[in-house]
Amino acid sequence: MTHTLYSGPVVSRKCSALSGRPLIPGDKSISHRSIMLGALAIGETIISGLLEGEDVLHTAMAMRAMGAKVEHGDDGLWRVHGVGVGGLHEPDQVLDMGNSGTSTRLLMGLVGGCDITATFTGDKSLVKRPMKRVVTPLEMMGAQFMCRSGGRLPLTVKGAQDTLSIEYKLPIASAQVKSAVMLAGLNAAGRTTVIEDRPTRDHTENMLRHFGAKVDVEELEDGAFAVSLNGHQELRGSSVDVPRDPSSAAFAAVAALIIEGSEITMSNVGVNPRRDGVFATLKEMGADIRYENERMEAGEPVATIKVTAKNTLKGVNVPEERVPSMIDEFPILAVAASCAEGTTHMTGLRELRVKESDRLLMMANGLKACGVNLEMGEDSLTIHGTGKPPEGGAHIETELDHRIAMSFLVLGCATDEPVEIDDGSPIKTSFPNFIELMNDLGADIGEVSSSNDIS
Ligand code: S3P
């Protein structure tokens, strides 16, 4: 499928009611994992609904470079022939992971548990992001690293010869760190355990089970979770039907909620409770969001999500314990809060500072420029909404961050004055057809005309 690629400024103008049944693309987290586990499995893995965004294509490229066969068929399906756990080949080139933190951190775990050496690099955003969080536990498992200052890319991993199993308590709530340790643990002699105080997305656990591995999850007395697996388990190639991405669905959902008269229905969206915190929050704000036809697919809960614009949203306090289940959705929630009536307080957001950009800062700066009254703290954002969309009329810096870009294009659908972003190209990392999909629903998002929309 080809999509309009906006590599430069993009503008979003006020539109009237959105309606339709958009087909949201596949889940990014699950797509990465389906290729990685397919590449470690014995036999063929057939994947339908894979997100063909740049981040996932980087994972596919890296797994090919390490010996797996990863093919995209004319029938739209992806087929992966794996090398077996511990069977990865040493890549003979540097692995350029583009913008993708998930690919990099999970693959550091895979390489760290194998007796091979690989070097990772990435784009201007990825080389700024902290990797020490993955390096620390992988060193305990026997891997060695040579990194740039601050544990940043480019870095070289020399995987362990005899991978040690560990028990590791996550110092930060991070599914990427948990997954990196578990993937290295797949090739360790004993039992690897990761303890997390706050449950993060469990797609690695679900997908490992789907490929035939045994993964145990125990709730501890203090409410933490211990996730354990024995090493040297064989993975069997499987069929994976990737659910549609709730993080992408959230952009269309918020657009529908802030534009009067809108109604959209999105089928087959992942509604794993460790991912759907944004929908819970929007419902608390008074949104009419319904799950229909709830069921399980490939170990993951999915549903049809119906969103209807009925009431003006109301400001809320977002409970801090909910943060991991909506970690990627704070930018779009901040857009909803900017159109809501009253104050929305979000806290426990330190991790947002080290995502594809410093998302707290980028949202605070961009929303202020659009006329929103807010306060930013070290790890918090408080937004005072008036019950109406802000004025808009701003040019927004996005720092190669797809979610900042899409959030402001959604805001521009509702503001009286257009909202322009500096660069639409990062959107293709996670949601390559975002602009077409939004315009099919009735949005007015497009290239900036020479006459300049924003004065
Ligand atoms: C992801 C985990 C999250 C999320 C990222 C994808 C994953 O990061 O922000 O976009 O697929 O494991 P952390 O849980 O590591 O913060």
Side-chain angles (χ1 to χ4, degrees), residues 6 34 50 55 81 107 118 122 273 312 322 324 330 342 407 415 420 424 438:
Y6 293 92
S34 66
L50 187 91
D55 279 10
H81 289 264
L107 290 182
T312 303
R322 194 179 287 158
F330 282 96
S407 296
T415 52
E420 184 180 302
M438 291 298 297

Side-chain angles (χ1 to χ4, degrees), residues 27-33 55 101-103 105-106 129 133-134 170 172-180 196 200-204 247 275 324 326-329 351-352 354-356 359 402-403:
D27 187 279
K28 182 154 77 69
S29 292
I30 297 176
S31 294
H32 284 304
R33 287 156 172 85
D55 279 10
T102 308
S103 314
R105 293 189 176 126
L106 269 57
R129 298 184 66 186
R133 54 186 59 199
V134 191
L170 292 180
I172 37 169
S174 166
Q176 293 176 348
V177 179
K178 171 175 66 174
S179 302
E196 50 180 3
T200 62
R201 65 188 69 191
D202 53 2
H203 303 309
T204 303
S247 299
R275 285 291 296 285
M326 52 180 295
I327 188 70
D328 291 336
E329 283 66 71
E351 275 295 297
L352 293 198
V354 290
K355 292 292 178 188
E356 284 83 331
R359 286 185 174 158
H402 53 135
R403 298 199 198 280

Side-chain angles (χ1 to χ4, degrees), residues 4-242:
T4 324
L5 295 180
Y6 293 92
S7 56
V10 179
V11 65
S12 176
R13 300 181 190 83
K14 191 177 172 83
C15 62
S16 45
L18 302 182
S19 71
R21 305 181 69 89
L23 295 179
I24 300 297
D27 187 279
K28 182 154 77 69
S29 292
I30 297 176
S31 294
H32 284 304
R33 287 156 172 85
S34 66
I35 293 184
M36 289 180 196
L37 294 196
L40 294 185
I42 303 293
E44 187 178 60
T45 291
I46 301 182
I47 310 166
S48 61
L50 187 91
L51 168 66
E52 291 168 16
E54 278 195 346
D55 279 10
V56 176
L57 299 180
H58 278 105
T59 291
M61 173 280 299
M63 297 324 298
R64 283 190 197 110
M66 291 193 273
K69 215 161 120 192
V70 184
E71 291 168 338
H72 186 197
D74 294 338
D75 52 5
L77 299 175
W78 285 74
R79 290 181 175 76
V80 184
H81 289 264
V83 293
V85 169
L88 292 180
H89 304 185
E90 185 164 283
D92 39 44
Q93 299 291 339
V94 171
L95 299 173
D96 183 349
M97 307 316 299
N99 192 256
S100 183
T102 308
S103 314
T104 308
R105 293 189 176 126
L106 269 57
L107 290 182
M108 283 167 67
L110 274 184
V111 172
C114 287
D115 187 11
I116 58 172
T117 296
T119 300
F120 294 93
T121 192
D123 71 6
K124 268 210 267 191
S125 151
L126 189 57
V127 298
K128 286 191 204 147
R129 298 184 66 186
M131 297 297 156
K132 191 89 188 125
R133 54 186 59 199
V134 191
V135 168
T136 301
L138 293 176
E139 279 179 342
M140 292 162 67
M141 300 177 88
Q144 293 171 42
F145 290 85
M146 180 70 82
C147 318
R148 208 158 59 85
S149 61
R152 278 153 228 264
L153 300 187
L155 67 71
T156 298
V157 193
K158 185 174 178 339
Q161 257 171 4
D162 294 302
T163 310
L164 304 169
S165 51
I166 56 168
E167 181 176 303
Y168 189 66
K169 192 168 172 1
L170 292 180
I172 37 169
S174 166
Q176 293 176 348
V177 179
K178 171 175 66 174
S179 302
V181 174
M182 289 171 72
L183 292 175
L186 265 184
N187 206 29
R191 189 166 173 79
T192 295
T193 299
V194 181
I195 298 173
E196 50 180 3
D197 288 341
R198 291 224 173 131
T200 62
R201 65 188 69 191
D202 53 2
H203 303 309
T204 303
E205 296 90 306
N206 295 341
M207 183 84 58
L208 278 166
R209 290 196 186 106
H210 187 66
F211 278 72
K214 187 166 181 305
V215 179
D216 301 308
V217 180
E218 190 193 345
E219 189 166 353
L220 307 176
E221 273 170 17
D222 58 1
F225 287 85
V227 184
S228 307
L229 90 172
N230 290 336
H232 298 160
Q233 304 191 50
E234 191 174 287
L235 303 180
R236 287 188 307 272
S238 297
S239 290
V240 181
D241 197 359
V242 179

Side-chain angles (χ1 to χ4, degrees), residues 344-406:
T344 295
H345 185 57
M346 302 166 248
T347 189
L349 306 184
R350 195 170 298 276
E351 275 295 297
L352 293 198
R353 298 217 177 256
V354 290
K355 292 292 178 188
E356 284 83 331
S357 69
D358 177 343
R359 286 185 174 158
L360 261 189
L361 183 68
M362 301 312 288
M363 286 312 296
N365 285 350
L367 289 174
K368 265 193 220 155
C370 289
V372 178
N373 178 10
L374 59 84
E375 290 112 40
M376 180 184 74
E378 203 32 59
D379 75 341
S380 66
L381 189 61
T382 303
I383 294 182
H384 307 285
T386 61
K388 282 202 301 244
E391 192 182 320
H395 177 88
I396 307 294
E397 302 291 328
T398 57
E399 302 245 307
L400 290 181
D401 190 325
H402 53 135
R403 298 199 198 280
I404 299 295
M406 289 186 277

Side-chain angles (χ1 to χ4, degrees), residues 283-302:
K283 281 187 211 167
E284 284 174 10
M285 295 173 83
D288 184 352
I289 296 179
R290 287 163 213 235
Y291 290 178
E292 294 168 357
N293 193 16
E294 287 183 67
R295 63 204 184 279
M296 294 296 287
E297 268 177 26
E300 290 284 345
V302 296

